[in-house]
Amino acid sequence: MKKLISAFIFVVLSASAMAGHHGKSGHKDIVDTAASKEMFSTLVAAVKAADLVTTLKGAGPFTVFAPTDEAFADLPEGTLEMLLKPENKQTLVKILTYHVVAGKVTAKDVSAMSDATTVEGSQVSIATDMGAVMINDAEVIKADVMTSNGVIHVIDTVLLPDDVKAAL
């Protein structure tokens, strides 16, 4: 699970590195952006294990709250390894799609929101406090990493839907 989340974060951070470029030309998609950043190796591995590569390479647009490898490493011991097992694919898909919002939601857009519905179907809370943007309990550490099919916001914590949290 930690590697999956880290890979996801890597994708977000990779996109953040390109935040200064807002046009679509020349940008990699969400998956390629994440894969190009070492900090998202766990997230990328998780996206592959969940068979979500094709989806996240699609037209979108998507907004991805991408946890870093460090965020995945902060999960309880053994959680990431358990989630990466083929028999836990549905739970992994649920967690990863909980990090994705349909549409392109930039930092400017987020500042005016109090929540957002994820692709998984649940809502995440959004709060801003003294310049910090929080998605549930995760802080956005890098915003607006633009990609050809959306935007990545790098976060410091893996987001878990309530029913998954209760099961861990």
Side-chain angles (χ1 to χ4, degrees):
M1 177 69 162
K2 289 182 181 180
K3 288 184 180 181
L4 174 59
I5 293 173
S6 295
F8 186 73
I9 293 173
F10 176 74
V11 171
V12 172
L13 291 179
S14 297
S16 295
M18 298 188 296
H21 306 288
H22 296 289
K24 288 190 177 203
S25 65
H27 287 299
K28 297 178 184 177
D29 62 41
I30 289 170
V31 174
D32 290 343
T33 298
S36 70
K37 304 294 181 188
E38 193 172 310
M39 71 188 326
F40 293 123
S41 61
T42 303
L43 177 61
V44 170
V47 167
K48 288 178 181 177
D51 289 329
L52 292 173
V53 171
T54 301
T55 301
L56 291 175
K57 287 177 94 40
F62 304 107
T63 298
V64 176
F65 299 110
T68 63
D69 286 350
E70 288 181 15
F72 278 99
D74 287 341
L75 289 171
E77 188 173 335
T79 301
L80 181 59
E81 293 76 13
M82 181 266 304
L83 288 171
L84 292 175
K85 292 181 179 178
E87 61 267 25
N88 297 318
K89 181 179 173 182
Q90 285 186 311
T91 302
L92 182 58
V93 168
K94 183 176 188 74
I95 292 168
L96 292 176
T97 57
Y98 188 64
H99 288 80
V100 181
V101 172
K104 184 177 179 181
V105 182
T106 65
K108 180 181 176 185
D109 301 324
V110 166
S111 65
M113 300 169 69
S114 61
D115 58 41
T117 302
T118 68
V119 171
E120 179 267 337
S122 300
Q123 291 199 334
V124 290
S125 65
I126 300 171
T128 54
D129 183 30
M130 297 175 58
V133 176
M134 303 296 293
I135 309 299
N136 290 352
D137 294 328
E139 183 174 354
V140 175
I141 56 177
K142 176 82 173 162
D144 289 347
V145 176
M146 299 301 171
T147 70
S148 63
N149 63 342
V151 60
I152 297 171
H153 302 293
V154 182
I155 57 175
D156 67 354
T157 304
V158 174
L159 303 173
L160 297 172
D162 289 338
D163 58 339
V164 172
K165 262 192 242 182
L168 294 181

